[in-house]
Amino acid sequence: MAADNLTRDAGAQRSTPTGAAHADLRRWLFAPVSVAIVGQSDDPSKTAGRPLKFLRQMGYAGRVYPINSRREQVLGERAWPSLAALPEIPEHAYIVTPTEAAVEAVEECGRLGVKVATVLADGFAETGREGLVRESRLRETCARTGIRLVGPSSLGVVDLRSKAMLTANAAFDEPDLPAGRIFAASHSGSLIGALLSRGKARGVGFAGLVSVGNEVDLSLGEICATTLDDPGIDGYMLFLETMRHARALRRFALAAAQRGKPIIAYKLGRSAAARELAVSHTGALAGEDDVADVFLKACGIARVDTLDALIEGLPLLARVPVATHGGRRRVGVVTTTAGGATMVIDPLASRGVTIEPASAATLARLAGAGIEVKPARLVDLTIAGARYQTMKATLDILLAAPEFDLVLAVVGSSARAQPEMTVRPIIDSAGAGKPLAAFLAPDAPEALAALSRAGVPNFRTPEACADAIAAALARRTPQPYSPSSSREADAAPRAGGDGTMLDELAAGARLERLGIARAPSVALDADIARAPRLPFPFPVAVKLLSAEVAHKSDVGGVMLGVADGGALLAAIGAIRTSVAKRTPGARIARVLVQPMVAGLGEVLLGYRVDRDVGPLVMLAAGGVLTEIERDRSLRLAPVDLAGARDMITEVRGLTALAGYRGKPKGDLEALAHAVVAISQLAEDAGVAEAEINPLIVRPAGEGVVAVDALVRLMV
Amino acid sequence: MAADNLTRDAGAQRSTPTGAAHADLRRWLFAPVSVAIVGQSDDPSKTAGRPLKFLRQMGYAGRVYPINSRREQVLGERAWPSLAALPEIPEHAYIVTPTEAAVEAVEECGRLGVKVATVLADGFAETGREGLVRESRLRETCARTGIRLVGPSSLGVVDLRSKAMLTANAAFDEPDLPAGRIFAASHSGSLIGALLSRGKARGVGFAGLVSVGNEVDLSLGEICATTLDDPGIDGYMLFLETMRHARALRRFALAAAQRGKPIIAYKLGRSAAARELAVSHTGALAGEDDVADVFLKACGIARVDTLDALIEGLPLLARVPVATHGGRRRVGVVTTTAGGATMVIDPLASRGVTIEPASAATLARLAGAGIEVKPARLVDLTIAGARYQTMKATLDILLAAPEFDLVLAVVGSSARAQPEMTVRPIIDSAGAGKPLAAFLAPDAPEALAALSRAGVPNFRTPEACADAIAAALARRTPQPYSPSSSREADAAPRAGGDGTMLDELAAGARLERLGIARAPSVALDADIARAPRLPFPFPVAVKLLSAEVAHKSDVGGVMLGVADGGALLAAIGAIRTSVAKRTPGARIARVLVQPMVAGLGEVLLGYRVDRDVGPLVMLAAGGVLTEIERDRSLRLAPVDLAGARDMITEVRGLTALAGYRGKPKGDLEALAHAVVAISQLAEDAGVAEAEINPLIVRPAGEGVVAVDALVRLMV
């Protein structure tokens, strides 16, 4: 815990650059006038031999200072013995020495006034205590000298326009790397090579790429933010392994959204095994995947699940309008191959996208153009669709039809045999206001290249096509910062087991102030001798009232359905005996008495400040299945009423309370208000965590009632 | 319903060819000495112009007879006016005329003694009544004349060795199509072009391909079965849209398994939208996707979810031993790029594959070879793994380690920069007994080609890699036919609402004979005047006893917790009144009285004869969540005890009965016996469907008890 705090706190102490400072930092990072390669090797086949080779191969025009203390020459150029020996202070130093020497080199860079250092070596947080100490030394150097740091464990920083190839990634060993308009940032160093080379193979070019490494100083979000006003960058491609420094990522994402620059992201960690690996190889703590999901969504970042969609998805994102809350997701599909189209429809529908059939009006317009298709989810032109006129007329009609938010064209073997003729109608129709995407069933490189040249979003696999379309349609206007809830000035939010617990009575009162009704509650001394008059009838529930015992039902601290005054006294006695036996030393001063509350169902409603992403609200179906089925919905807090209603529809188990199969309806509107209410804790910096379990959902019109509550304060 | 029977019954009347007949049929299909193209066009850009062009382009050596009644020449060759005018009877006729003429042409082919006809035209079952009548005419022609038919709606039959290019698929318009050792069969005609071209782009070659169309006569399984003894075919690639003719597919799959020829399949229909499309464009009825899943698994067919895995997966299947029941699925991963490797691990783990960490002994062996890696799920060599010696030594140690069933190597950017050096250790180690697969993070076509040439399974996307590995490890020895349950001689199994319902008493008795305990039950006349002496104590459950009313609790036909004799008479009266009101005309002669049965939980246990795949047993968690969460497990019936235990572990909701979080354990062993028992109905040709809902699961050692049962007979 201490080590973790060590890692996490210092970053927040650095101020975030803005405006002119951004522009300077961007230049030092990506277009420096002078660079040093500290530890440059004379052997170009070695990792430390690559940066100089790549810089020369691409024709970097700035001044380059290779530093090698043991050689006078490297790769046929003069080598300098040290940073101090250079005739000028380089703007950016790429340090490719081993670990210990790298820490020393950063110190020297800082002392000399180098603006930015990028560190290749690993051996930091991911190695445990010793590495954490090294990281804190780097952080201290940055704070003291003002140098900014990329890494450690960074495979480099590359700008393909300035030709600043400060990288040791072997995939950059090509003289003909085309520059494009995408900026890529990755937690994985190898992946910048994978994105570059896979992009090159399909005509996707990059303005720059960065491997952010351990983000000891500059985080992925901060680095991307420096490029926001770069007119040569249209969109962002992110490869994420952790949600570390999520607030900087969110600030960047909101600013990018304001500028209309889309962000597409692939985030590892769908499986527990992958999350565990992220911990072991990055030294970062891994959060839960659905937390990452809601966070990225709240940032307006499109998350994809396939590598191909990451690479191919940005042109589509750029064309799909970002929906505000509740935007629709209806795709119309036209094809010459029903089987090929269904390969895309299958994963699309599995991701919740609606495959919309053509309306009667649209079918009539098609018939009017001489195109007869069967009414179905798919506009299946069969082989006739290989004719230009047929496909063009169909696309124009579909793109004008109000029932579709996006049109997908899937073409069969003609895309290979007659590439030009096949893609021409798609290209000619793509200018319409509505987004149009294409998937080609055969291997059809020429047709794909023609589509890409024309700017038409196109995909190589049905899975990537579905993935990108679903992600584009799911994108929402970012949730704005609530200044108090985001607590910009705070250190990283705390999490874990610290902080004062309130007892159930105090917790219930705290939540009641937010507007969440609770069951009438009477606190009694545990040594009471006579049953008191209760303000509600029997039967009642009797529960231990103690902030010390968290799971009171596990220790015999709860008795339900207590029938009368005598039974009440007996129940209190039984609770005292049982709890005393199971939790020796616990103070058993009071019990809480409540009426038995009946309802149609129960839910778990929770709030917590997540270590990475900050305040979260959670709604889950009640009972043991909640945990087994992981049937829950999350949002960044606070949420509004519309967001709360969305959450309710996302919990599958709550279908039963929405009038499923003739069952009585629960008061889901009151539940939505309770979700909004608990999410307001985000405005209260003092609360770390709150949970109502269960919250009883009564019949429509009768509200919801909290019958157990827990609140943990920050301190 | 009648139309459906029309479609389905005739197929079963044709006998399945075996031995010499298979060999003849294979020759007529794939290596005919003479072919006719009925309706060959003179315009090679038209669909009907392609077959002759392709035959000549590839250099087919047999005799070709283009038939065109309106031209003396087509594509510069002599055209014949009719089949009757030919100097010989061709072995195989590809009929590319419009629909009505095609039906006539098949008739003429049959009359003349053509062995096989393949029909391109659509306009059959998928168009409704009229098309169904056309299909029945085709079927009648086949039965009467003995001709065998591929299609209709077949884009063709191709053998790349004999060069019999009987196809109109545009993707075959290439002179340099390499022949390989895979046979592909597809419900979608366009997909044979997609498989061919995508395979060609990555060095995957085909012996033959067939578009099976509507399978009016020859089904996909039957066509594949003809090639089983073709020594030039090593494995099968199937693209499935329906489970139509599932029994023929199963016979083929079992025979292929005996010959050690693996089958990989992609099956559309994960989503309801896709299943609906399969109905509308093939005219076949769509079953549920998990039924297809268990059926393919019972056939020993590896089902994949990505198109790339379908194309790239067979080399891996060929190397992964097929596990008998309960085989293990532990993958060891070695990499130079943790991020790249985790991209594969994430979907692998999500599919239930275990990512096994290297054991202490393995780590010690690695250390002994000078390779120091951190103990983790991943053997992360970092950049050092780009050296031949390091990767080779590591692979050899991992491939010899007993904790892995398969080893995956993931290589980063060096695979692009130094393809030969990078793949060499993988190729050199691949000879070991254990399967080895490779994924390369960058675009690395040379490295992939080298791996493919050496026969090392390799993948272009992390998703396809995970998909194929998971499918290969999930493959099991096919479940053998039980001759009585498979009922070879029967027509297709009946399904739907027909057949006699037994009342609850008779149904319970029927299931009790199989060994499934039921609650003590007493039947009383509904007009009883005095409460009788019951052989069990109150409280009791009282239920309408009638085979006419299926959902008795929906019409007020069930009263629970009836406390004494007076209440029993009142309950019977209430049931009579309520049922009479809600289902006018229903006979209310008797009620059933049972003791209230308590247990730890309840399940739904079902059996039915599926229209496509035959007898199935189903186990689901009880309650409304069963339907909402679709939390169920299926198997082809009968199952053995081990299979039943597996089913129990697959139902997530049953976790609560396995001692989850200290809860009392249910008698899951008794439940497994009940699953086996109900699955024995597969031996009883008279039962169409049975359901126990609920089956009460009591504490371990106390068994399970059926408290409601339903049995529907076949007739």
Side-chain angles (χ1 to χ4, degrees), chain B residues 94-241:
Chain B
Y94 190 24
I95 300 167
V96 298
T97 63
T99 309
E100 289 296 348
V103 175
E104 294 306 321
V106 172
E107 174 63 32
E108 189 174 7
C109 284
R111 219 168 40 226
L112 292 172
V114 173
K115 301 298 188 185
V116 171
T118 295
V119 174
L120 171 68
D122 57 13
F124 290 85
E126 74 280 8
T127 62
R129 187 77 221 170
E130 202 178 346
L132 285 168
V133 170
R134 287 191 196 109
E135 284 199 0
S136 70
R137 191 165 158 214
L138 290 178
R139 218 176 273 113
E140 186 275 324
T141 300
C142 291
R144 178 166 37 81
T145 66
I147 192 173
R148 301 310 303 258
L149 185 73
V150 179
S153 261
S154 167
L155 262 177
V157 178
V158 168
D159 191 302
L160 290 159
R161 300 157 306 173
S162 75
K163 320 288 190 196
M165 311 295 290
L166 298 171
T167 179
N169 186 308
F172 289 81
D173 192 3
E174 292 176 31
D176 56 343
L177 293 171
R181 302 183 60 80
I182 295 170
F183 184 82
S186 173
H187 282 128
S188 160
S190 181
L191 258 291
I192 63 169
L195 298 178
L196 177 86
S197 58
R198 287 174 179 256
K200 183 180 173 188
R202 56 197 73 185
V204 174
F206 295 87
L209 305 95
V210 60
S211 152
V212 301
N214 287 14
E215 302 174 284
V216 157
D217 174 33
L218 286 167
S219 70
L220 186 145
E222 288 174 285
I223 295 171
C224 289
T226 67
T227 71
L228 278 164
D229 293 319
D230 185 331
I233 291 173
D234 289 342
Y236 294 86
M237 197 182 281
L238 309 182
F239 186 92
L240 306 176
E241 296 189 354

Side-chain angles (χ1 to χ4, degrees), chain A residues 169 174 269 271 346 413 416 441, chain B residues 169 174 198 269 271 346 413 416:
Chain A
N169 186 309
E174 293 176 29
S271 68
D346 215 348
S413 297
R416 180 179 180 89
Chain B
N169 186 308
E174 292 176 31
R198 287 174 179 256
S271 68
D346 216 349
S413 297
R416 180 178 180 90

Side-chain angles (χ1 to χ4, degrees), chain A residues 339-354:
Chain A
T342 311
M343 277 198 294
V344 186
I345 287 171
D346 215 348
L348 258 184
S350 296
R351 283 165 205 239
V353 173
T354 303

Side-chain angles (χ1 to χ4, degrees), chain A residues 126 169 174 197-198 269 271 276 280 307 346 374 377 413 416 441 460 463 625 627 629 652 661, chain B residues 126 169 174 198 269 271 276 280 307 346 374 377 413 416 441 460 463 625 627 629 652 661:
Chain A
E126 74 279 8
N169 186 309
E174 293 176 29
S197 58
R198 287 174 179 257
S271 68
E276 182 196 311
S280 72
L307 179 57
D346 215 348
K374 278 196 302 180
R377 276 194 194 277
S413 297
R416 180 179 180 89
R460 266 145 196 76
E463 299 81 22
L625 283 180
E627 294 169 63
E629 307 275 355
R652 298 185 302 277
R661 295 192 66 187
Chain B
E126 74 280 8
N169 186 308
E174 292 176 31
R198 287 174 179 256
S271 68
E276 182 197 310
S280 72
L307 178 58
D346 216 349
K374 279 196 302 179
R377 274 194 196 276
S413 297
R416 180 178 180 90
R460 266 144 196 78
E463 298 81 24
L625 283 179
E627 294 168 64
E629 307 274 356
R652 296 184 305 276
R661 296 194 66 188

Side-chain angles (χ1 to χ4, degrees), chain B residues 322-348:
Chain B
V322 182
T324 50
H325 176 83
R328 304 193 64 174
R329 310 172 65 183
R330 301 161 308 167
V331 175
V333 184
V334 55
T335 192
T336 65
T337 159
T342 311
M343 276 197 295
V344 187
I345 288 171
D346 216 349
L348 258 184

